[in-house]
Structure formats: C-alpha cells, structure tokens
Amino acid sequence: MAAERFGSPWRTKEERSLLLGSVLWCVARLRWLIRSFGLDYALFRELLRVRLLLALRPASASSKAWGLAGLVLSILMTWLMGLFTGLLALLSPDPVVWIAGSQTGLMFILCFFLFQHFAGILVDPTDIGVVAPHPVEDRTLFAVRLAEVAAYLALFVLSFTAGNVFMAVFRKPPLAVLFVYPLLSCLCGATTLGLVSLLFALCLRIVGPTHFQRVTLWAQILGGTPGAVTAEMRRLA
C-alpha cells in the first residue's frame, strides 16, 4: 500500500515531466517512420528517454532554476518575435510577404539556437561510454540526438507560430492561418534542422570529433561578428 501511495523509489520526478511524456508519445506515433529508416525502435526510444532524463536532471537545484528561467525567457522572446513578424500579416495585403518574412525570421531564430546552444548535443560524449560495449550503430546515436534537438526546437516553433497566428487571424483567412501556416512552420523547422545537421555531419567527417568544437566555436564567432559590426556602425552613423 505504501509503495502504491508514494510511487516507486526508482522513478524520479523528471520521468513524469510533460516534455518527456510528450516526446515519447510522439515517438510512439512515429514508430513506422523510425523503422522505415532501418532503426531499432525499442533501442531508439530507450536512448532518447535516457538522454532527455539526463538533460532534465540538473546537477543542483540552482542550476535547475536558472535553466528553467532561461528556457522560459527564450520561449517568451521567440513568441514576441512571432508577434513582431505577425504585423506583416496586418500591414501587407499580400500573404506571400507575411509568409516569406515570418518563415525567414523563424529560420534565423532556429539557426541561432542550433549554433549557439544545441550544437554540443550532436557531439555530446555522455552516452558514448555507456553504449560503447553494446551493438549500437552510429546512425542510431545520431538519430537519437537529432530527435532530442528536434524536441527542443519544437517548443520554439510552437511559440513563434502562436505569435504569428494571434496577429494574422484578424486579417487573413482563418482556416489558412490556423491549419496551413503551422504546417509551413513545421516544415521550416525540419528543413533548418536538416541543413544544420548536414553541415555538422560534414564538419565531423572532415575535421573529426577532436577539432569539431573548436571549428564550431570559430564558426559561431565569425557568424556573429557581421551582425555586431553592422549594429555598431548603425549606432555610430
């Protein structure tokens, strides 16, 4: 009775999180797609579950609070960017201008998060030592990491899309805004993730995992320099 009342002592509160449950539910619905790529579904699901648990389980309470605050702030800023680009739907009579401008902004935001925050997930050695003695293929590990990054990107795609839909529904056809635009945002997110992952894969193949972090660091510096220089020149002009 006590065990039923208080739950299993081996199950932590992170295993009951909404993010983990949502991701595993989506994975179960996409079982046919995972198997179509020649991946072991049970192994893929378990590796993804463990990686998300490790990400949700911080080293201390303070790091958890700061991590949650940073995630909420990032999602809120993405939602505000969605509201800002949604003004195009109110100001422009041509829906192509709104769709092109908002999807370009979404791709820029996702590229920023991929290069600045999520690049390390693709080469994280945390689970390598655990699965090394087991017959786990490299593409399975890479697919699990892509799924983990996709789970995080889905939060930003959802918040950005919500901001745009909130503005555009007052001016554009409601059915197109509520059903077609979210689909376009999902396709934009998947395309961005695919292009960046292909770039990372090529970089890993060329320079190897030893120099990958150094190369991506310089890429982040060189990518952010033009924006900083442009902003400074506009301030001085």
Side-chain angles (χ1 to χ4, degrees), residues 30-208:
L30 297 175
R31 179 183 306 181
W32 60 273
L33 181 62
I34 296 172
R35 289 178 174 173
S36 66
F37 284 106
L39 302 175
D40 188 337
Y41 168 75
L43 184 60
F44 177 89
R45 182 186 184 280
E46 183 61 21
L47 288 175
L48 181 59
R49 186 185 71 86
V50 172
R51 285 196 60 87
L52 289 175
L53 282 177
L54 291 176
L56 295 173
R57 188 176 300 162
S60 61
S62 59
S63 62
K64 180 179 181 179
W66 281 107
L68 182 60
L71 180 61
V72 172
L73 182 61
S74 300
I75 293 176
L76 180 60
M77 293 299 296
T78 306
W79 179 72
L80 292 176
M81 288 295 296
L83 287 177
F84 178 75
T85 55
L87 291 175
L88 293 174
L90 300 178
L91 301 177
S92 175
D94 189 0
V96 176
V97 176
W98 163 55
I99 294 176
S102 61
Q103 296 301 310
T104 301
L106 176 60
M107 185 172 290
F108 175 79
I109 293 173
L110 295 181
C111 286
F112 172 79
F113 283 116
L114 283 170
F115 280 105
Q116 297 293 330
H117 300 285
F118 300 141
I121 295 179
L122 298 176
V123 291
D124 183 17
T126 303
D127 54 353
I128 298 298
V130 178
V131 302
H134 304 282
V136 181
E137 297 181 356
D138 293 340
R139 65 175 181 172
T140 302
L141 290 177
F142 192 69
V144 169
R145 297 178 183 197
L146 284 180
E148 182 183 0
V149 176
Y152 295 132
L153 290 185
L155 298 176
F156 299 104
V157 172
L158 180 62
S159 61
F160 184 88
T161 304
N164 270 276
V165 168
F166 179 78
M167 301 293 289
V169 75
F170 295 103
R171 186 69 182 271
K172 304 304 179 189
L175 291 179
V177 173
L178 295 176
F179 295 101
V180 178
Y181 185 80
L183 179 60
L184 294 176
S185 298
C186 293
L187 292 176
C188 178
T191 302
T192 306
L193 178 59
L195 292 176
V196 174
S197 300
L198 178 60
L199 178 62
F200 285 165
L202 292 176
C203 185
L204 278 172
R205 178 66 65 179
I206 295 173
V207 303

